[in-house]
Amino acid sequence: MIIGIPKEIMHDEGRVAAIPETVAKLKADGFDVLVENGAGALAFFSDADYAAAGAEMVADAQELYDRADIILKVKEPLFNEQKGKHEVDMMHAGQYLITFIHPASPVNHEMVKKMAANGIISLTLDGVPRISRAQNLDALTSMSTCAGYKGILMAASDLTKFIPMTMSAVGMIKPCNALVIGTGVAGLQALATAKRLGAQIYAADIRPAAAENAMSLGAKIVDTGVPAEAAIAPGGYANALSDEMIAKEREALKDVIKDMDIIFCSALVPSKLAPVLITDEMVASMKPGSVIVDISIDQGGNCASTVPGERAVVHQVTIEGIKNIPGMLPTSSTWLFAQNIYNLVKYLSKDAKIELDMNDEIVQGILTTIDGKLVHKGAIDAMSRA
């Protein structure tokens, strides 16, 4: 089979789905590899290095889509302004797409339906289950590490004050308060980074084990009021809560949020819409100049006031809704991503051909569209709720 690596078209997206190292491994496994010219430039992987690794360089994106059996991407299909058409329309029936699709997010519903109608076999990386044998396939965890680190640096840049306690001849400036909501991989990295910068750190997570992990980093824990039996889904993930429970969690956060200088939002439920935990009214209660970084925006966002894909100022609070934060750390994030996606392709293939085992837990988690149908449970549920 032929694998195609297109250049990402999202604004300021510096990542790419393969690096010369993984191209060489794909070639050794029997695949042919096409790479669009300049695909790795923003992550400092040159065309010459791809060619040396065995890739065929392709100048035209449409030619790459036409020839490839498998497309490996970083971001979901988007409208290609240079070509004047959507990436879904550049693909063909029977073609495999492996990327972050985020099919449960409302903004992607029509795109996902179109992929199904066009006969594309799509697999979403955000559906990889967090089980032992899938750890080296888990690009979501890798990108979460990048987002937690870079997201706090963005907050530090946006903030109008020092983060650490600062002494001067005229007095002391107190350290800022930073709250992390959702202490999974991204949240823990955010807590660690905020602590290294000198913030007083706070954490909230409905899962007792996740809260304990945050406490081990020195965070003060905010009790969400959600009982453990309602909080934990299979695999240790956060469970989707009832509207009543979400309202209870909001109430627990309400008095804490108004005292925070930085809020980092990373509360997610796998393959479902992110819970809205910060209302517009709660944003209005925050101190002017405060910052919210909402990395859950790909799945709808944890803050009701977040503008998808943009930095906005709402009620004098800066809210980061940037969708590709790991793409702002392109060299490290690309290296991690390329290793994950290579491992997934190797897992799914035999003799350089994709073979999907429909009884496999990993395949069940990532398969989004096949045989002209949408099969992703999270997306189907989100569409029915919408």
Side-chain angles (χ1 to χ4, degrees), residues 5-7 9 33-39 47 55-67 80 82-83 90:
I5 312 295
K7 184 177 182 179
I9 59 173
V33 183
L34 310 177
V35 177
E36 185 178 353
N37 289 351
D47 289 353
E56 177 185 345
M57 303 308 297
V58 178
D60 181 60
Q62 185 62 69
E63 179 189 349
L64 183 143
Y65 278 100
D66 288 343
R67 293 174 57 191
N80 188 319
Q82 186 178 10
K83 290 294 181 182
M90 298 173 71

PDB file of all heavy atoms in Angstrom, residues 5-7 9 33-39 47 55-67 80 82-83 90:
ATOM      1  N   ILE A   5       1.739  11.471   3.044  1.00  0.00           N
ATOM      2  CA  ILE A   5       1.934  12.405   4.155  1.00  0.00           C
ATOM      3  C   ILE A   5       1.762  13.826   3.606  1.00  0.00           C
ATOM      4  O   ILE A   5       2.699  14.398   3.046  1.00  0.00           O
ATOM      5  CB  ILE A   5       3.341  12.268   4.782  1.00  0.00           C
ATOM      6  CG1 ILE A   5       3.703  10.800   5.058  1.00  0.00           C
ATOM      7  CG2 ILE A   5       3.447  13.132   6.036  1.00  0.00           C
ATOM      8  CD1 ILE A   5       2.845  10.137   6.100  1.00  0.00           C
ATOM      9  N   PRO A   6       0.566  14.407   3.734  1.00  0.00           N
ATOM     10  CA  PRO A   6       0.373  15.768   3.222  1.00  0.00           C
ATOM     11  C   PRO A   6       0.893  16.819   4.191  1.00  0.00           C
ATOM     12  O   PRO A   6       1.074  16.553   5.379  1.00  0.00           O
ATOM     13  CB  PRO A   6      -1.153  15.866   3.084  1.00  0.00           C
ATOM     14  CG  PRO A   6      -1.677  14.955   4.144  1.00  0.00           C
ATOM     15  CD  PRO A   6      -0.677  13.829   4.273  1.00  0.00           C
ATOM     16  N   LYS A   7       1.108  17.992   3.661  1.00  0.00           N
ATOM     17  CA  LYS A   7       1.450  19.140   4.490  1.00  0.00           C
ATOM     18  C   LYS A   7       0.193  19.593   5.213  1.00  0.00           C
ATOM     19  O   LYS A   7      -0.880  19.701   4.615  1.00  0.00           O
ATOM     20  CB  LYS A   7       2.003  20.274   3.619  1.00  0.00           C
ATOM     21  CG  LYS A   7       2.478  21.484   4.391  1.00  0.00           C
ATOM     22  CD  LYS A   7       3.088  22.518   3.444  1.00  0.00           C
ATOM     23  CE  LYS A   7       3.612  23.728   4.217  1.00  0.00           C
ATOM     24  NZ  LYS A   7       4.231  24.723   3.311  1.00  0.00           N
ATOM     25  N   ILE A   9      -2.579  21.945   6.766  1.00  0.00           N
ATOM     26  CA  ILE A   9      -3.055  23.232   6.250  1.00  0.00           C
ATOM     27  C   ILE A   9      -3.686  24.115   7.318  1.00  0.00           C
ATOM     28  O   ILE A   9      -4.029  25.263   7.033  1.00  0.00           O
ATOM     29  CB  ILE A   9      -4.053  23.042   5.085  1.00  0.00           C
ATOM     30  CG1 ILE A   9      -5.270  22.216   5.536  1.00  0.00           C
ATOM     31  CG2 ILE A   9      -3.360  22.378   3.901  1.00  0.00           C
ATOM     32  CD1 ILE A   9      -6.363  22.129   4.488  1.00  0.00           C
ATOM     33  N   VAL A  33       6.039   5.422   0.332  1.00  0.00           N
ATOM     34  CA  VAL A  33       5.687   6.636   1.070  1.00  0.00           C
ATOM     35  C   VAL A  33       5.810   7.861   0.172  1.00  0.00           C
ATOM     36  O   VAL A  33       6.870   8.089  -0.435  1.00  0.00           O
ATOM     37  CB  VAL A  33       6.574   6.818   2.325  1.00  0.00           C
ATOM     38  CG1 VAL A  33       6.127   8.056   3.107  1.00  0.00           C
ATOM     39  CG2 VAL A  33       6.519   5.581   3.214  1.00  0.00           C
ATOM     40  N   LEU A  34       4.735   8.635   0.093  1.00  0.00           N
ATOM     41  CA  LEU A  34       4.722   9.914  -0.601  1.00  0.00           C
ATOM     42  C   LEU A  34       4.689  11.024   0.443  1.00  0.00           C
ATOM     43  O   LEU A  34       3.908  10.941   1.396  1.00  0.00           O
ATOM     44  CB  LEU A  34       3.482  10.052  -1.497  1.00  0.00           C
ATOM     45  CG  LEU A  34       3.160   8.905  -2.462  1.00  0.00           C
ATOM     46  CD1 LEU A  34       1.853   9.201  -3.200  1.00  0.00           C
ATOM     47  CD2 LEU A  34       4.291   8.680  -3.441  1.00  0.00           C
ATOM     48  N   VAL A  35       5.500  12.044   0.289  1.00  0.00           N
ATOM     49  CA  VAL A  35       5.513  13.178   1.205  1.00  0.00           C
ATOM     50  C   VAL A  35       5.378  14.456   0.386  1.00  0.00           C
ATOM     51  O   VAL A  35       6.111  14.661  -0.585  1.00  0.00           O
ATOM     52  CB  VAL A  35       6.821  13.225   2.038  1.00  0.00           C
ATOM     53  CG1 VAL A  35       6.847  14.467   2.927  1.00  0.00           C
ATOM     54  CG2 VAL A  35       6.955  11.965   2.888  1.00  0.00           C
ATOM     55  N   GLU A  36       4.431  15.292   0.771  1.00  0.00           N
ATOM     56  CA  GLU A  36       4.260  16.564   0.068  1.00  0.00           C
ATOM     57  C   GLU A  36       5.447  17.481   0.356  1.00  0.00           C
ATOM     58  O   GLU A  36       5.936  17.550   1.495  1.00  0.00           O
ATOM     59  CB  GLU A  36       2.960  17.239   0.499  1.00  0.00           C
ATOM     60  CG  GLU A  36       2.652  18.510  -0.289  1.00  0.00           C
ATOM     61  CD  GLU A  36       1.338  19.161   0.107  1.00  0.00           C
ATOM     62  OE1 GLU A  36       0.572  18.567   0.905  1.00  0.00           O
ATOM     63  OE2 GLU A  36       1.077  20.277  -0.373  1.00  0.00           O
ATOM     64  N   ASN A  37       5.894  18.180  -0.662  1.00  0.00           N
ATOM     65  CA  ASN A  37       7.011  19.112  -0.496  1.00  0.00           C
ATOM     66  C   ASN A  37       6.739  20.089   0.644  1.00  0.00           C
ATOM     67  O   ASN A  37       5.647  20.647   0.754  1.00  0.00           O
ATOM     68  CB  ASN A  37       7.229  19.916  -1.778  1.00  0.00           C
ATOM     69  CG  ASN A  37       7.797  19.067  -2.906  1.00  0.00           C
ATOM     70  OD1 ASN A  37       8.189  17.920  -2.702  1.00  0.00           O
ATOM     71  ND2 ASN A  37       7.833  19.623  -4.109  1.00  0.00           N
ATOM     72  N   GLY A  38       7.719  20.269   1.505  1.00  0.00           N
ATOM     73  CA  GLY A  38       7.605  21.230   2.595  1.00  0.00           C
ATOM     74  C   GLY A  38       6.791  20.761   3.776  1.00  0.00           C
ATOM     75  O   GLY A  38       6.561  21.541   4.715  1.00  0.00           O
ATOM     76  N   ALA A  39       6.378  19.497   3.781  1.00  0.00           N
ATOM     77  CA  ALA A  39       5.505  19.008   4.858  1.00  0.00           C
ATOM     78  C   ALA A  39       6.137  19.141   6.238  1.00  0.00           C
ATOM     79  O   ALA A  39       5.452  19.402   7.230  1.00  0.00           O
ATOM     80  CB  ALA A  39       5.113  17.558   4.599  1.00  0.00           C
ATOM     81  N   ASP A  47      13.012  18.356   3.113  1.00  0.00           N
ATOM     82  CA  ASP A  47      12.640  17.488   2.000  1.00  0.00           C
ATOM     83  C   ASP A  47      13.785  16.549   1.643  1.00  0.00           C
ATOM     84  O   ASP A  47      13.563  15.366   1.323  1.00  0.00           O
ATOM     85  CB  ASP A  47      12.264  18.331   0.778  1.00  0.00           C
ATOM     86  CG  ASP A  47      10.946  19.074   0.942  1.00  0.00           C
ATOM     87  OD1 ASP A  47      10.256  18.839   1.961  1.00  0.00           O
ATOM     88  OD2 ASP A  47      10.602  19.877   0.056  1.00  0.00           O
ATOM     89  N   ALA A  55      11.442   8.398   0.828  1.00  0.00           N
ATOM     90  CA  ALA A  55      10.150   8.944   0.418  1.00  0.00           C
ATOM     91  C   ALA A  55      10.227   9.504  -0.992  1.00  0.00           C
ATOM     92  O   ALA A  55      11.268   9.999  -1.431  1.00  0.00           O
ATOM     93  CB  ALA A  55       9.713  10.048   1.382  1.00  0.00           C
ATOM     94  N   GLU A  56       9.096   9.435  -1.696  1.00  0.00           N
ATOM     95  CA  GLU A  56       8.961  10.144  -2.963  1.00  0.00           C
ATOM     96  C   GLU A  56       8.317  11.492  -2.658  1.00  0.00           C
ATOM     97  O   GLU A  56       7.223  11.552  -2.090  1.00  0.00           O
ATOM     98  CB  GLU A  56       8.084   9.357  -3.936  1.00  0.00           C
ATOM     99  CG  GLU A  56       7.853  10.080  -5.254  1.00  0.00           C
ATOM    100  CD  GLU A  56       6.893   9.360  -6.182  1.00  0.00           C
ATOM    101  OE1 GLU A  56       6.616   8.165  -5.956  1.00  0.00           O
ATOM    102  OE2 GLU A  56       6.384  10.005  -7.123  1.00  0.00           O
ATOM    103  N   MET A  57       8.985  12.562  -3.027  1.00  0.00           N
ATOM    104  CA  MET A  57       8.465  13.895  -2.765  1.00  0.00           C
ATOM    105  C   MET A  57       7.477  14.282  -3.865  1.00  0.00           C
ATOM    106  O   MET A  57       7.731  14.066  -5.060  1.00  0.00           O
ATOM    107  CB  MET A  57       9.603  14.912  -2.686  1.00  0.00           C
ATOM    108  CG  MET A  57      10.666  14.576  -1.637  1.00  0.00           C
ATOM    109  SD  MET A  57      10.016  14.243   0.031  1.00  0.00           S
ATOM    110  CE  MET A  57       9.280  15.837   0.420  1.00  0.00           C
ATOM    111  N   VAL A  58       6.352  14.857  -3.438  1.00  0.00           N
ATOM    112  CA  VAL A  58       5.263  15.202  -4.358  1.00  0.00           C
ATOM    113  C   VAL A  58       4.946  16.679  -4.201  1.00  0.00           C
ATOM    114  O   VAL A  58       4.731  17.162  -3.081  1.00  0.00           O
ATOM    115  CB  VAL A  58       4.007  14.351  -4.064  1.00  0.00           C
ATOM    116  CG1 VAL A  58       2.865  14.744  -4.990  1.00  0.00           C
ATOM    117  CG2 VAL A  58       4.322  12.868  -4.194  1.00  0.00           C
ATOM    118  N   ALA A  59       4.892  17.394  -5.314  1.00  0.00           N
ATOM    119  CA  ALA A  59       4.660  18.842  -5.264  1.00  0.00           C
ATOM    120  C   ALA A  59       3.192  19.188  -5.096  1.00  0.00           C
ATOM    121  O   ALA A  59       2.845  20.196  -4.482  1.00  0.00           O
ATOM    122  CB  ALA A  59       5.209  19.504  -6.529  1.00  0.00           C
ATOM    123  N   ASP A  60       2.299  18.355  -5.623  1.00  0.00           N
ATOM    124  CA  ASP A  60       0.874  18.676  -5.648  1.00  0.00           C
ATOM    125  C   ASP A  60       0.110  17.831  -4.626  1.00  0.00           C
ATOM    126  O   ASP A  60       0.168  16.592  -4.670  1.00  0.00           O
ATOM    127  CB  ASP A  60       0.317  18.437  -7.054  1.00  0.00           C
ATOM    128  CG  ASP A  60      -1.151  18.772  -7.156  1.00  0.00           C
ATOM    129  OD1 ASP A  60      -1.521  19.935  -6.906  1.00  0.00           O
ATOM    130  OD2 ASP A  60      -1.949  17.860  -7.467  1.00  0.00           O
ATOM    131  N   ALA A  61      -0.615  18.498  -3.736  1.00  0.00           N
ATOM    132  CA  ALA A  61      -1.362  17.779  -2.700  1.00  0.00           C
ATOM    133  C   ALA A  61      -2.410  16.855  -3.294  1.00  0.00           C
ATOM    134  O   ALA A  61      -2.622  15.740  -2.807  1.00  0.00           O
ATOM    135  CB  ALA A  61      -2.016  18.772  -1.741  1.00  0.00           C
ATOM    136  N   GLN A  62      -3.077  17.296  -4.360  1.00  0.00           N
ATOM    137  CA  GLN A  62      -4.118  16.465  -4.967  1.00  0.00           C
ATOM    138  C   GLN A  62      -3.524  15.180  -5.546  1.00  0.00           C
ATOM    139  O   GLN A  62      -4.122  14.107  -5.444  1.00  0.00           O
ATOM    140  CB  GLN A  62      -4.856  17.239  -6.060  1.00  0.00           C
ATOM    141  CG  GLN A  62      -6.044  16.477  -6.648  1.00  0.00           C
ATOM    142  CD  GLN A  62      -7.130  16.167  -5.621  1.00  0.00           C
ATOM    143  OE1 GLN A  62      -7.805  17.056  -5.140  1.00  0.00           O
ATOM    144  NE2 GLN A  62      -7.293  14.892  -5.267  1.00  0.00           N
ATOM    145  N   GLU A  63      -2.345  15.273  -6.136  1.00  0.00           N
ATOM    146  CA  GLU A  63      -1.688  14.065  -6.645  1.00  0.00           C
ATOM    147  C   GLU A  63      -1.409  13.090  -5.509  1.00  0.00           C
ATOM    148  O   GLU A  63      -1.606  11.873  -5.647  1.00  0.00           O
ATOM    149  CB  GLU A  63      -0.374  14.431  -7.346  1.00  0.00           C
ATOM    150  CG  GLU A  63       0.368  13.203  -7.875  1.00  0.00           C
ATOM    151  CD  GLU A  63       1.771  13.508  -8.374  1.00  0.00           C
ATOM    152  OE1 GLU A  63       2.116  14.694  -8.517  1.00  0.00           O
ATOM    153  OE2 GLU A  63       2.540  12.538  -8.582  1.00  0.00           O
ATOM    154  N   LEU A  64      -0.976  13.617  -4.370  1.00  0.00           N
ATOM    155  CA  LEU A  64      -0.703  12.762  -3.216  1.00  0.00           C
ATOM    156  C   LEU A  64      -1.970  12.047  -2.760  1.00  0.00           C
ATOM    157  O   LEU A  64      -1.971  10.836  -2.528  1.00  0.00           O
ATOM    158  CB  LEU A  64      -0.106  13.597  -2.081  1.00  0.00           C
ATOM    159  CG  LEU A  64       0.318  12.849  -0.817  1.00  0.00           C
ATOM    160  CD1 LEU A  64       1.591  13.455  -0.235  1.00  0.00           C
ATOM    161  CD2 LEU A  64      -0.783  12.885   0.245  1.00  0.00           C
ATOM    162  N   TYR A  65      -3.083  12.792  -2.655  1.00  0.00           N
ATOM    163  CA  TYR A  65      -4.347  12.181  -2.233  1.00  0.00           C
ATOM    164  C   TYR A  65      -4.832  11.164  -3.262  1.00  0.00           C
ATOM    165  O   TYR A  65      -5.386  10.117  -2.904  1.00  0.00           O
ATOM    166  CB  TYR A  65      -5.403  13.262  -2.014  1.00  0.00           C
ATOM    167  CG  TYR A  65      -5.317  13.937  -0.667  1.00  0.00           C
ATOM    168  CD1 TYR A  65      -4.704  15.174  -0.516  1.00  0.00           C
ATOM    169  CD2 TYR A  65      -5.851  13.330   0.467  1.00  0.00           C
ATOM    170  CE1 TYR A  65      -4.624  15.797   0.724  1.00  0.00           C
ATOM    171  CE2 TYR A  65      -5.783  13.937   1.711  1.00  0.00           C
ATOM    172  CZ  TYR A  65      -5.162  15.170   1.828  1.00  0.00           C
ATOM    173  OH  TYR A  65      -5.076  15.777   3.057  1.00  0.00           O
ATOM    174  N   ASP A  66      -4.625  11.454  -4.542  1.00  0.00           N
ATOM    175  CA  ASP A  66      -5.083  10.541  -5.598  1.00  0.00           C
ATOM    176  C   ASP A  66      -4.328   9.214  -5.566  1.00  0.00           C
ATOM    177  O   ASP A  66      -4.918   8.148  -5.782  1.00  0.00           O
ATOM    178  CB  ASP A  66      -4.890  11.187  -6.976  1.00  0.00           C
ATOM    179  CG  ASP A  66      -5.877  12.315  -7.259  1.00  0.00           C
ATOM    180  OD1 ASP A  66      -6.900  12.396  -6.548  1.00  0.00           O
ATOM    181  OD2 ASP A  66      -5.609  13.123  -8.171  1.00  0.00           O
ATOM    182  N   ARG A  67      -3.039   9.269  -5.270  1.00  0.00           N
ATOM    183  CA  ARG A  67      -2.204   8.071  -5.371  1.00  0.00           C
ATOM    184  C   ARG A  67      -2.157   7.239  -4.087  1.00  0.00           C
ATOM    185  O   ARG A  67      -1.924   6.030  -4.137  1.00  0.00           O
ATOM    186  CB  ARG A  67      -0.783   8.470  -5.768  1.00  0.00           C
ATOM    187  CG  ARG A  67      -0.659   9.027  -7.167  1.00  0.00           C
ATOM    188  CD  ARG A  67       0.758   9.532  -7.440  1.00  0.00           C
ATOM    189  NE  ARG A  67       1.772   8.488  -7.245  1.00  0.00           N
ATOM    190  CZ  ARG A  67       3.082   8.705  -7.203  1.00  0.00           C
ATOM    191  NH1 ARG A  67       3.538   9.955  -7.331  1.00  0.00           N
ATOM    192  NH2 ARG A  67       3.934   7.718  -7.030  1.00  0.00           N
ATOM    193  N   ASN A  80      -9.061  23.300   2.068  1.00  0.00           N
ATOM    194  CA  ASN A  80      -7.772  23.682   1.514  1.00  0.00           C
ATOM    195  C   ASN A  80      -7.975  24.910   0.614  1.00  0.00           C
ATOM    196  O   ASN A  80      -8.479  24.795  -0.509  1.00  0.00           O
ATOM    197  CB  ASN A  80      -7.171  22.519   0.713  1.00  0.00           C
ATOM    198  CG  ASN A  80      -5.743  22.785   0.281  1.00  0.00           C
ATOM    199  OD1 ASN A  80      -5.399  23.881  -0.131  1.00  0.00           O
ATOM    200  ND2 ASN A  80      -4.907  21.757   0.359  1.00  0.00           N
ATOM    201  N   GLN A  82      -5.846  26.797  -0.885  1.00  0.00           N
ATOM    202  CA  GLN A  82      -5.011  26.813  -2.079  1.00  0.00           C
ATOM    203  C   GLN A  82      -5.648  26.014  -3.214  1.00  0.00           C
ATOM    204  O   GLN A  82      -5.584  26.402  -4.390  1.00  0.00           O
ATOM    205  CB  GLN A  82      -3.626  26.250  -1.754  1.00  0.00           C
ATOM    206  CG  GLN A  82      -2.628  26.360  -2.904  1.00  0.00           C
ATOM    207  CD  GLN A  82      -1.257  25.843  -2.520  1.00  0.00           C
ATOM    208  OE1 GLN A  82      -1.078  25.235  -1.478  1.00  0.00           O
ATOM    209  NE2 GLN A  82      -0.270  26.083  -3.369  1.00  0.00           N
ATOM    210  N   LYS A  83      -6.302  24.916  -2.863  1.00  0.00           N
ATOM    211  CA  LYS A  83      -6.955  24.072  -3.862  1.00  0.00           C
ATOM    212  C   LYS A  83      -8.414  24.445  -4.093  1.00  0.00           C
ATOM    213  O   LYS A  83      -9.039  23.982  -5.052  1.00  0.00           O
ATOM    214  CB  LYS A  83      -6.874  22.598  -3.431  1.00  0.00           C
ATOM    215  CG  LYS A  83      -5.473  22.010  -3.508  1.00  0.00           C
ATOM    216  CD  LYS A  83      -5.003  21.940  -4.955  1.00  0.00           C
ATOM    217  CE  LYS A  83      -3.631  21.341  -5.079  1.00  0.00           C
ATOM    218  NZ  LYS A  83      -3.172  21.315  -6.490  1.00  0.00           N
ATOM    219  N   MET A  90     -10.865  15.802  -1.555  1.00  0.00           N
ATOM    220  CA  MET A  90      -9.630  15.430  -2.244  1.00  0.00           C
ATOM    221  C   MET A  90      -9.339  13.938  -2.089  1.00  0.00           C
ATOM    222  O   MET A  90      -8.452  13.395  -2.748  1.00  0.00           O
ATOM    223  CB  MET A  90      -8.458  16.249  -1.690  1.00  0.00           C
ATOM    224  CG  MET A  90      -8.610  17.745  -1.912  1.00  0.00           C
ATOM    225  SD  MET A  90      -7.355  18.756  -1.088  1.00  0.00           S
ATOM    226  CE  MET A  90      -5.895  18.378  -2.061  1.00  0.00           C
TER     227      MET A  90
END
